[in-house]
Amino acid sequence: MYQTFYGFKEKPFTLTPDPAFLYLSRQHEMALTMLNYGLQSEAGISVITGEVGAGKTTLIREILQHSAENSEVGLISNAHSSFGDLLQWVLMAFNINSEATDKAERYRVLVDFLISNYANNKKTILIIDEAQNMDAETLEELRLISNINADKHLVLQLILVGQPELLELMQRHELRQLAQRVSVDYRLKALGYKETVAYIKHRLVVAGGRKDIIDKYAIATIFYYSGGVPRLINTLSDFSLVFGFAGGLKQIDLNIILEVIKGKRQGGIFPMIKQENKAQAKVRQLIQQQKNIDILLPSGEEDEEEFGEL
């Protein structure tokens, strides 16, 4: 819609995880380093957690894209509580066709597959995304699967990816054995203000556009309302380009972002901030000092109607 107008080769702020747009903030770089370390050092279980939209799945896509030739990776992309037979899902993740009718037979099929890979010097890696949706019983079953060894070497490495609830689940007493098997764990937090600036400019340039299409006050306001969460940054940035295109504006300014926020508030789905943190309060204060505009929109402002003279 706006790609040609702004000179993009592709949309810069899609919500689909795309490693081509991966921006390695300091913490994302650390998370990726920890994951790679875990894989190279044969860590049994690695755990990456973070809030919704923090960029966890994009990191996993990066791992998949650059997995070593001597490794076989299985991905369960959306775990859930009604998982059913975990072994069946694991076999499907590795594209193993089996006519096994019960857990014992499926377990034997999986063991044979893992031992065969090990004998051929291939690593076997199972990644489970949205792992916080699994129940304690399924996680315990996962631990038992991870116990499969050959000649004192690990034949299966696990990467669990999920929201903070995964940590709470794994801290339960009945899952202490699983928690003790975790060699690598890292928690992703929201981006800071400077990271948000770099993130937005990075995606604009990767998409083929100018890095200053969205001006600094607009970016600051995006940070304020997104809280530095990458997915929310993408949502606001994308809509700002739609609004800018509709208005024939070559640069997105503060007023455009405030119009986007009004629209999002009226829609009622976008998660509006309930309380400022220190970074958000500082950004708001600086904009108020430099632009004489308070970016915290009064509640209900979008519903006001201008009648003028009757």
Side-chain angles (χ1 to χ4, degrees), residues 270-288:
F270 189 87
M272 292 296 170
I273 59 173
K274 294 181 174 61
Q275 185 175 0
E276 297 174 332
N277 59 33
K278 290 182 179 179
Q280 288 169 315
K282 183 65 175 178
V283 163
R284 178 186 171 197
Q285 180 185 31
L286 288 173
I287 292 177
Q288 196 162 15

Side-chain angles (χ1 to χ4, degrees), residues 137-149:
E137 182 179 351
T138 304
L139 281 171
E140 175 60 15
E141 188 175 353
L142 195 62
R143 181 189 68 82
L144 296 175
I145 292 175
S146 72
N147 282 338
I148 303 171
N149 293 318

Side-chain angles (χ1 to χ4, degrees), residues 248-269:
L249 302 174
K250 286 294 185 179
Q251 188 174 49
I252 306 303
D253 61 15
L254 174 58
N255 292 325
I256 289 292
I257 295 298
L258 292 178
E259 287 299 318
V260 170
I261 298 301
K262 289 178 183 179
K264 286 295 181 182
R265 176 181 286 175
Q266 191 170 17
I269 295 177

